Amino acid sequence: MAFTFPKDSNNKAGAVRTKNAGTEFVMPVQDEMFDVMEIKRSTLAVSTNTQLSFTGAQSVIEVHNLGPGELYACLDAAATVNGANSILVPEGAVYVFPIKGTVVNVISSGTPKVQAVGVKNNA
């Protein structure tokens, strides 16, 4: 049996929350949806901080390391290789920044391709 997510008054499905469906079962339901998605791509230059800028604060930003090699990412501040405040994203991995931000800074000791996907609500 297929499950259809409920929709809000604007006829949108979206962010997952839980709803009690009995004494021992809690199911996910969706209330809201992100309205806008932006995608930024770049091939990094060796040891050069690269900024991937969005057109406003994004609710969630994913950083995809398409390789080859590892990269370091930082939200709204310069990234450094092995930096204490920079997130290591291994080749083939994705890191999701769970906080709002506008610019993803990425750096690598190699030349990996990187993709950043930002989503936000227009409300």
Side-chain angles (χ1 to χ4, degrees):
M1 179 167 115
F3 179 78
T4 303
F5 284 104
K7 298 183 178 187
D8 66 10
S9 61
N10 294 320
N11 201 30
K12 292 182 183 176
V16 175
R17 66 176 173 84
T18 58
K19 182 177 182 180
N20 191 349
T23 57
E24 296 182 26
F25 180 72
V26 177
M27 67 181 171
V29 295
Q30 290 185 305
D31 284 336
E32 299 175 12
M33 181 177 199
F34 294 114
D35 296 319
V36 178
M37 179 175 69
E38 286 185 59
I39 300 171
K40 307 294 179 183
R41 292 186 188 97
S42 182
T43 299
L44 302 183
V46 175
S47 298
T48 302
N49 185 71
T50 301
Q51 292 185 337
L52 304 172
S53 300
F54 295 93
T55 58
Q58 304 295 301
S59 300
V60 176
I61 299 174
E62 295 179 354
V63 176
H64 303 242
N65 181 354
L66 306 176
E70 60 190 25
L71 66 85
Y72 296 85
C74 194
L75 192 61
D76 293 332
T80 56
V81 174
N82 281 326
N85 295 322
S86 298
I87 304 293
L88 170 63
V89 184
E91 180 178 343
V94 176
Y95 180 77
V96 178
F97 284 101
I99 58 175
K100 291 185 179 185
T102 305
V103 178
V104 175
N105 291 270
V106 287
I107 194 168
S108 177
S109 57
T111 59
K113 291 182 182 177
V114 62
Q115 173 175 274
V117 180
V119 290
K120 67 179 177 179
N121 292 323
N122 269 340

